[in-house]
Amino acid sequence: MTWEVVIGLETHAQLSTASKIFSGAATAFGAAPNTPASAVDIALPGVLPVLNKGAVERAIRFGLAVGATINTLSVFARKNYFYPDLPKGYQISQFEIPVVNGGEIAIVSPTRGEIRVRLTRAHLEEDAGKSLHEDYHGMTGIDLNRAGTPLLEIVSEPDMRSSDEAVAYAKSLHELVRWIEICDGNMQEGSFRCDANVSIRRPGEPLGTRCEIKTLNSFRFLQQAIDFEVRRQIAVIEDGGTIVQETRLYDPDRNQTRSMRSKEDAQDYRYFPDPDLPPLAIDRGWIERVRRDMPELAPMRRLRFSATSREHLVELVKGGAGVDLSEMSDQVYEESNPALQASGQRPTHGLTLADASALVQDRATADYFESTVAGGADAKAAANWVLGEVAAALNRAGIGIAAAPVSPAALAGLLARIADGTISGKIAKEIFDAMWASGARGARDADAIIDAKGLRQISDEGAIERLVDEVIAGNAGIVAEFRAGREKAFNSLVGKVMAASRGKANPGQVNAILRRKLG
């Protein structure tokens, strides 16, 4: 009989506030060790924590994005334990009443299709410091810069059944927190990290004993750690042993997990309400203000990009609802669907679902595409260039699209010259490279380069006809091959005409005139 894998993830997302959750100390990464750790962060006698409003608003934003319940009253508690990098001996967190309850993340499983991973909760807490072992011989260094950084801990239900599903969930969550701008998602700096709870059972049996793998800060390590842990647990049980509930660490050099400590339960932390912090009250007006400022989310944007009209968008949204809405009028449906209302006044673009999905992998890319279209470019052409030439140039430069030296307005100007026949697609790539090198920001930058380099396409029929006549006269052998039925010979003649024009002849006209001349 096979084993069934059961996985739940606890994800820590560092929130993108400028200051810490209970103090005014800076959260910026990279400061000298122990410099932005304030008296409040390490709980020196006489200090009092004050809650960061921005951290709360980011938690609300997350809850709205995943369809969760925002608790209008939540409580901060002291979670008592001692580590060297937690000098006050407790962590301020939320336990019984978190700020966010429920919600879900949709993923695509390679074996089960589209599934929805339920969320148990998301709660606010402070980060601990960091123990540094690598740079000290026989000693451990303690860096408290991170202490007090605001975290949103997002806890899933044990709904995942493979490491592939866990990685798909983690990637979807990572994309979401970056999309709604509550976390920068920098896994190398520890801004987004996962703890994986892994157990196995025979299908249909109760849940097995879980082990928690701590602090996985890459998707590859997450997958490798889960796969190893599953193999380890199967081997232990099949050899007659039992799984001990414990916390384990993943060693990527050896590709194995090892025991760190026995796994604590809630009672071991001796939670009690923090006496220095009153309950967090969130009124409905606050929630609605955050909702109004929410960006259009990636799933809705993907549907809008692929819709051909407002009516088509309604059909696409209904098609993904999973219920029969055939009896519901469009008006009633729209009024009951806040996401559709929010997207109502934005344009549709009629892209393929594949192109739309690729564009919304990153919010900055989606914004760049829409700004290019707003500059007058055809949507399909803009998508092709953003996903093609622009993406390739970004990869070569090792930068994100927000830092692209070619602005959306400048790209739209270039695409306009392809559309009106001023330049060919091949010449456009040469012009784009020049725009990239010079930093094109305006809609007329492409025109300046075209004129400076003399690259305007030849569309004068008489001029092209003279070039065609010259090529036919000078290549009798290739002409004979074409007339004997070899189509490749025609392409060779087209190439020679284009070469004679230094690539500036209108390719469509060259093809038409050449075929007419060859009868």
Side-chain angles (χ1 to χ4, degrees), residues 129-172:
K130 189 175 183 181
S131 298
L132 305 172
H133 310 288
E134 301 84 5
D135 300 329
Y136 303 91
H137 301 290
M139 297 183 294
T140 294
I142 301 297
D143 183 358
L144 298 177
N145 284 357
R146 202 172 66 182
T149 297
L151 293 179
L152 187 67
E153 181 172 349
I154 303 158
V155 183
S156 84
E157 291 290 321
D159 287 348
M160 291 158 276
R161 297 293 176 263
S162 70
S163 62
D164 287 331
E165 291 184 6
V167 169
Y169 164 82
K171 286 183 175 179
S172 294

Short mmCIF file of all heavy atoms in Angstrom, two decimals, residues 129-172:
data_model
loop_
_atom_site.label_atom_id
_atom_site.label_comp_id
_atom_site.label_asym_id
_atom_site.label_seq_id
_atom_site.Cartn_x
_atom_site.Cartn_y
_atom_site.Cartn_z
N GLY A 129 16.12 38.16 16.57
CA GLY A 129 17.42 38.47 15.99
C GLY A 129 17.96 37.27 15.23
O GLY A 129 17.22 36.36 14.87
N LYS A 130 19.25 37.27 15.01
CA LYS A 130 19.85 36.22 14.19
C LYS A 130 21.17 35.77 14.82
O LYS A 130 22.01 36.60 15.20
CB LYS A 130 20.10 36.73 12.77
CG LYS A 130 20.52 35.67 11.79
CD LYS A 130 20.63 36.26 10.38
CE LYS A 130 20.98 35.18 9.36
NZ LYS A 130 21.10 35.75 7.99
N SER A 131 21.32 34.43 14.93
CA SER A 131 22.58 33.87 15.41
C SER A 131 23.48 33.57 14.22
O SER A 131 23.04 32.97 13.24
CB SER A 131 22.31 32.58 16.20
OG SER A 131 21.53 32.84 17.34
N LEU A 132 24.72 34.00 14.30
CA LEU A 132 25.69 33.84 13.21
C LEU A 132 26.79 32.89 13.65
O LEU A 132 27.52 33.18 14.62
CB LEU A 132 26.28 35.20 12.82
CG LEU A 132 25.26 36.29 12.46
CD1 LEU A 132 25.94 37.63 12.29
CD2 LEU A 132 24.52 35.91 11.19
N HIS A 133 26.92 31.78 12.95
CA HIS A 133 27.88 30.75 13.33
C HIS A 133 29.09 30.69 12.39
O HIS A 133 30.18 30.30 12.80
CB HIS A 133 27.21 29.38 13.35
CG HIS A 133 25.92 29.35 14.11
ND1 HIS A 133 25.85 29.43 15.49
CD2 HIS A 133 24.63 29.27 13.68
CE1 HIS A 133 24.59 29.40 15.88
NE2 HIS A 133 23.82 29.30 14.80
N GLU A 134 28.87 31.09 11.13
CA GLU A 134 29.88 30.80 10.11
C GLU A 134 31.15 31.63 10.28
O GLU A 134 32.25 31.18 9.98
CB GLU A 134 29.31 31.08 8.70
CG GLU A 134 28.08 30.25 8.36
CD GLU A 134 26.79 30.86 8.90
OE1 GLU A 134 26.86 31.99 9.45
OE2 GLU A 134 25.73 30.22 8.80
N ASP A 135 31.02 32.86 10.75
CA ASP A 135 32.16 33.79 10.75
C ASP A 135 32.94 33.80 12.06
O ASP A 135 33.85 34.62 12.23
CB ASP A 135 31.66 35.21 10.46
CG ASP A 135 30.97 35.30 9.11
OD1 ASP A 135 31.36 34.54 8.22
OD2 ASP A 135 30.04 36.11 8.97
N TYR A 136 32.57 32.93 12.98
CA TYR A 136 33.22 32.94 14.28
C TYR A 136 33.71 31.53 14.61
O TYR A 136 32.94 30.57 14.53
CB TYR A 136 32.24 33.42 15.36
CG TYR A 136 31.69 34.80 15.07
CD1 TYR A 136 30.50 34.95 14.34
CD2 TYR A 136 32.36 35.94 15.49
CE1 TYR A 136 30.01 36.21 14.05
CE2 TYR A 136 31.86 37.20 15.21
CZ TYR A 136 30.69 37.33 14.49
OH TYR A 136 30.19 38.59 14.20
N HIS A 137 34.96 31.41 14.99
CA HIS A 137 35.56 30.11 15.28
C HIS A 137 35.31 29.75 16.74
O HIS A 137 35.84 30.38 17.66
CB HIS A 137 37.06 30.14 14.99
CG HIS A 137 37.38 30.49 13.56
ND1 HIS A 137 37.11 29.64 12.51
CD2 HIS A 137 37.91 31.61 13.01
CE1 HIS A 137 37.47 30.21 11.37
NE2 HIS A 137 37.95 31.41 11.64
N GLY A 138 34.47 28.74 16.94
CA GLY A 138 34.17 28.28 18.29
C GLY A 138 33.24 29.20 19.05
O GLY A 138 33.03 29.00 20.25
N MET A 139 32.66 30.19 18.37
CA MET A 139 31.74 31.11 19.04
C MET A 139 30.55 31.39 18.12
O MET A 139 30.58 31.05 16.94
CB MET A 139 32.45 32.44 19.37
CG MET A 139 33.59 32.32 20.35
SD MET A 139 34.30 33.96 20.74
CE MET A 139 35.00 34.40 19.16
N THR A 140 29.52 31.99 18.69
CA THR A 140 28.36 32.41 17.92
C THR A 140 28.17 33.92 18.09
O THR A 140 28.22 34.43 19.22
CB THR A 140 27.09 31.68 18.40
OG1 THR A 140 27.23 30.29 18.09
CG2 THR A 140 25.85 32.22 17.71
N GLY A 141 27.98 34.61 16.97
CA GLY A 141 27.69 36.03 17.02
C GLY A 141 26.19 36.28 17.03
O GLY A 141 25.42 35.52 16.43
N ILE A 142 25.76 37.30 17.74
CA ILE A 142 24.34 37.64 17.82
C ILE A 142 24.13 39.01 17.18
O ILE A 142 24.71 39.99 17.62
CB ILE A 142 23.83 37.66 19.27
CG1 ILE A 142 24.04 36.30 19.94
CG2 ILE A 142 22.35 38.05 19.31
CD1 ILE A 142 23.27 35.17 19.31
N ASP A 143 23.28 39.04 16.16
CA ASP A 143 22.93 40.30 15.47
C ASP A 143 21.45 40.57 15.73
O ASP A 143 20.59 39.80 15.27
CB ASP A 143 23.21 40.18 13.98
CG ASP A 143 22.95 41.48 13.22
OD1 ASP A 143 22.50 42.45 13.86
OD2 ASP A 143 23.17 41.50 11.99
N LEU A 144 21.16 41.62 16.45
CA LEU A 144 19.77 41.92 16.83
C LEU A 144 19.11 42.95 15.90
O LEU A 144 18.05 43.47 16.22
CB LEU A 144 19.73 42.43 18.28
CG LEU A 144 20.21 41.42 19.33
CD1 LEU A 144 20.20 42.05 20.71
CD2 LEU A 144 19.35 40.16 19.31
N ASN A 145 19.72 43.22 14.76
CA ASN A 145 19.10 44.17 13.83
C ASN A 145 17.69 43.76 13.45
O ASN A 145 16.81 44.60 13.27
CB ASN A 145 19.95 44.30 12.57
CG ASN A 145 21.20 45.12 12.78
OD1 ASN A 145 21.41 45.66 13.87
ND2 ASN A 145 22.04 45.22 11.77
N ARG A 146 17.47 42.47 13.26
CA ARG A 146 16.17 41.99 12.79
C ARG A 146 15.13 41.96 13.91
O ARG A 146 13.92 41.86 13.64
CB ARG A 146 16.35 40.58 12.20
CG ARG A 146 15.27 40.15 11.24
CD ARG A 146 15.64 38.85 10.57
NE ARG A 146 15.70 37.73 11.50
CZ ARG A 146 16.04 36.49 11.17
NH1 ARG A 146 16.36 36.21 9.93
NH2 ARG A 146 16.08 35.52 12.07
N ALA A 147 15.56 42.01 15.15
CA ALA A 147 14.63 41.93 16.28
C ALA A 147 13.60 43.06 16.20
O ALA A 147 13.96 44.22 16.06
CB ALA A 147 15.39 42.01 17.59
N GLY A 148 12.35 42.70 16.26
CA GLY A 148 11.28 43.68 16.20
C GLY A 148 10.77 44.00 14.81
O GLY A 148 9.81 44.76 14.66
N THR A 149 11.38 43.42 13.77
CA THR A 149 10.86 43.61 12.42
C THR A 149 9.47 43.00 12.32
O THR A 149 9.25 41.88 12.79
CB THR A 149 11.80 42.95 11.38
OG1 THR A 149 13.08 43.59 11.45
CG2 THR A 149 11.25 43.07 9.98
N PRO A 150 8.50 43.70 11.72
CA PRO A 150 7.14 43.15 11.69
C PRO A 150 7.03 41.95 10.76
O PRO A 150 7.53 41.97 9.63
CB PRO A 150 6.29 44.32 11.18
CG PRO A 150 7.24 45.20 10.46
CD PRO A 150 8.57 45.06 11.14
N LEU A 151 6.38 40.92 11.25
CA LEU A 151 6.13 39.70 10.48
C LEU A 151 4.63 39.46 10.37
O LEU A 151 3.88 39.75 11.30
CB LEU A 151 6.75 38.47 11.16
CG LEU A 151 8.26 38.33 11.26
CD1 LEU A 151 8.60 37.03 11.99
CD2 LEU A 151 8.90 38.35 9.89
N LEU A 152 4.23 38.91 9.24
CA LEU A 152 2.91 38.31 9.12
C LEU A 152 3.15 36.82 8.96
O LEU A 152 3.75 36.38 7.97
CB LEU A 152 2.16 38.87 7.91
CG LEU A 152 0.69 38.43 7.80
CD1 LEU A 152 -0.13 39.02 8.95
CD2 LEU A 152 0.10 38.85 6.46
N GLU A 153 2.75 36.05 9.96
CA GLU A 153 2.89 34.59 9.86
C GLU A 153 1.61 34.01 9.27
O GLU A 153 0.52 34.18 9.84
CB GLU A 153 3.18 33.95 11.21
CG GLU A 153 3.35 32.43 11.08
CD GLU A 153 3.83 31.75 12.34
OE1 GLU A 153 4.25 32.44 13.29
OE2 GLU A 153 3.78 30.50 12.38
N ILE A 154 1.75 33.35 8.13
CA ILE A 154 0.61 32.84 7.37
C ILE A 154 0.62 31.32 7.51
O ILE A 154 1.57 30.65 7.08
CB ILE A 154 0.72 33.26 5.89
CG1 ILE A 154 0.83 34.78 5.79
CG2 ILE A 154 -0.47 32.74 5.10
CD1 ILE A 154 1.46 35.26 4.50
N VAL A 155 -0.42 30.78 8.10
CA VAL A 155 -0.48 29.35 8.42
C VAL A 155 -1.51 28.68 7.53
O VAL A 155 -2.67 29.07 7.50
CB VAL A 155 -0.85 29.14 9.90
CG1 VAL A 155 -0.84 27.65 10.24
CG2 VAL A 155 0.11 29.91 10.81
N SER A 156 -1.08 27.65 6.81
CA SER A 156 -2.01 26.91 5.94
C SER A 156 -2.57 25.70 6.67
O SER A 156 -1.99 25.21 7.65
CB SER A 156 -1.30 26.45 4.66
OG SER A 156 -0.60 25.24 4.88
N GLU A 157 -3.68 25.20 6.18
CA GLU A 157 -4.17 23.89 6.59
C GLU A 157 -3.29 22.81 5.93
O GLU A 157 -2.61 23.08 4.93
CB GLU A 157 -5.62 23.71 6.16
CG GLU A 157 -6.61 24.60 6.89
CD GLU A 157 -6.80 24.18 8.34
OE1 GLU A 157 -6.83 22.96 8.62
OE2 GLU A 157 -6.89 25.08 9.20
N PRO A 158 -3.29 21.59 6.45
CA PRO A 158 -2.46 20.52 5.85
C PRO A 158 -3.11 19.96 4.58
O PRO A 158 -3.48 18.78 4.50
CB PRO A 158 -2.38 19.48 6.97
CG PRO A 158 -3.64 19.65 7.74
CD PRO A 158 -3.95 21.13 7.70
N ASP A 159 -3.25 20.80 3.56
CA ASP A 159 -3.99 20.45 2.35
C ASP A 159 -3.11 20.00 1.20
O ASP A 159 -3.62 19.61 0.15
CB ASP A 159 -4.82 21.66 1.89
CG ASP A 159 -6.02 21.92 2.79
OD1 ASP A 159 -6.34 21.06 3.62
OD2 ASP A 159 -6.61 23.00 2.66
N MET A 160 -1.79 20.08 1.36
CA MET A 160 -0.89 19.74 0.25
C MET A 160 -0.42 18.30 0.38
O MET A 160 -0.22 17.80 1.48
CB MET A 160 0.28 20.72 0.22
CG MET A 160 -0.15 22.13 -0.18
SD MET A 160 1.00 23.42 0.36
CE MET A 160 0.46 23.71 2.04
N ARG A 161 -0.26 17.65 -0.79
CA ARG A 161 0.03 16.21 -0.81
C ARG A 161 1.34 15.85 -1.50
O ARG A 161 1.61 14.69 -1.74
CB ARG A 161 -1.14 15.46 -1.49
CG ARG A 161 -2.47 15.57 -0.75
CD ARG A 161 -2.42 14.86 0.59
NE ARG A 161 -3.65 15.02 1.37
CZ ARG A 161 -3.81 15.93 2.32
NH1 ARG A 161 -2.82 16.76 2.62
NH2 ARG A 161 -4.94 16.00 2.99
N SER A 162 2.15 16.84 -1.80
CA SER A 162 3.45 16.57 -2.42
C SER A 162 4.32 17.81 -2.30
O SER A 162 3.81 18.92 -2.06
CB SER A 162 3.29 16.19 -3.90
OG SER A 162 2.88 17.32 -4.66
N SER A 163 5.62 17.61 -2.48
CA SER A 163 6.52 18.77 -2.45
C SER A 163 6.23 19.70 -3.62
O SER A 163 6.41 20.92 -3.51
CB SER A 163 7.97 18.30 -2.50
OG SER A 163 8.26 17.60 -3.70
N ASP A 164 5.77 19.15 -4.76
CA ASP A 164 5.41 20.00 -5.90
C ASP A 164 4.28 20.96 -5.52
O ASP A 164 4.31 22.14 -5.88
CB ASP A 164 4.98 19.15 -7.09
CG ASP A 164 6.14 18.45 -7.77
OD1 ASP A 164 7.26 18.99 -7.71
OD2 ASP A 164 5.93 17.36 -8.33
N GLU A 165 3.28 20.44 -4.81
CA GLU A 165 2.17 21.30 -4.39
C GLU A 165 2.63 22.33 -3.37
O GLU A 165 2.19 23.49 -3.41
CB GLU A 165 1.03 20.45 -3.81
CG GLU A 165 0.33 19.59 -4.86
CD GLU A 165 -0.85 18.81 -4.31
OE1 GLU A 165 -1.21 19.01 -3.12
OE2 GLU A 165 -1.42 18.01 -5.06
N ALA A 166 3.53 21.94 -2.47
CA ALA A 166 4.03 22.88 -1.47
C ALA A 166 4.79 24.03 -2.15
O ALA A 166 4.64 25.20 -1.77
CB ALA A 166 4.94 22.16 -0.47
N VAL A 167 5.59 23.70 -3.15
CA VAL A 167 6.34 24.73 -3.87
C VAL A 167 5.38 25.63 -4.65
O VAL A 167 5.54 26.85 -4.68
CB VAL A 167 7.39 24.10 -4.79
CG1 VAL A 167 7.99 25.14 -5.73
CG2 VAL A 167 8.49 23.45 -3.96
N ALA A 168 4.37 25.03 -5.29
CA ALA A 168 3.39 25.83 -6.04
C ALA A 168 2.66 26.79 -5.09
O ALA A 168 2.43 27.97 -5.44
CB ALA A 168 2.39 24.91 -6.73
N TYR A 169 2.29 26.31 -3.91
CA TYR A 169 1.64 27.17 -2.91
C TYR A 169 2.58 28.29 -2.47
O TYR A 169 2.19 29.47 -2.43
CB TYR A 169 1.21 26.34 -1.71
CG TYR A 169 0.88 27.14 -0.48
CD1 TYR A 169 -0.37 27.72 -0.32
CD2 TYR A 169 1.83 27.33 0.53
CE1 TYR A 169 -0.68 28.47 0.81
CE2 TYR A 169 1.53 28.08 1.66
CZ TYR A 169 0.28 28.64 1.80
OH TYR A 169 -0.01 29.39 2.91
N ALA A 170 3.83 27.95 -2.14
CA ALA A 170 4.79 28.95 -1.67
C ALA A 170 5.05 30.01 -2.74
O ALA A 170 5.14 31.20 -2.44
CB ALA A 170 6.09 28.27 -1.25
N LYS A 171 5.15 29.57 -4.00
CA LYS A 171 5.36 30.53 -5.08
C LYS A 171 4.15 31.45 -5.27
O LYS A 171 4.31 32.66 -5.48
CB LYS A 171 5.68 29.79 -6.39
CG LYS A 171 7.07 29.20 -6.44
CD LYS A 171 7.35 28.55 -7.80
CE LYS A 171 8.79 28.07 -7.88
NZ LYS A 171 9.09 27.40 -9.18
N SER A 172 2.96 30.88 -5.18
CA SER A 172 1.75 31.70 -5.32
C SER A 172 1.65 32.72 -4.19
O SER A 172 1.30 33.89 -4.41
CB SER A 172 0.50 30.81 -5.32
OG SER A 172 0.47 29.99 -6.47
#
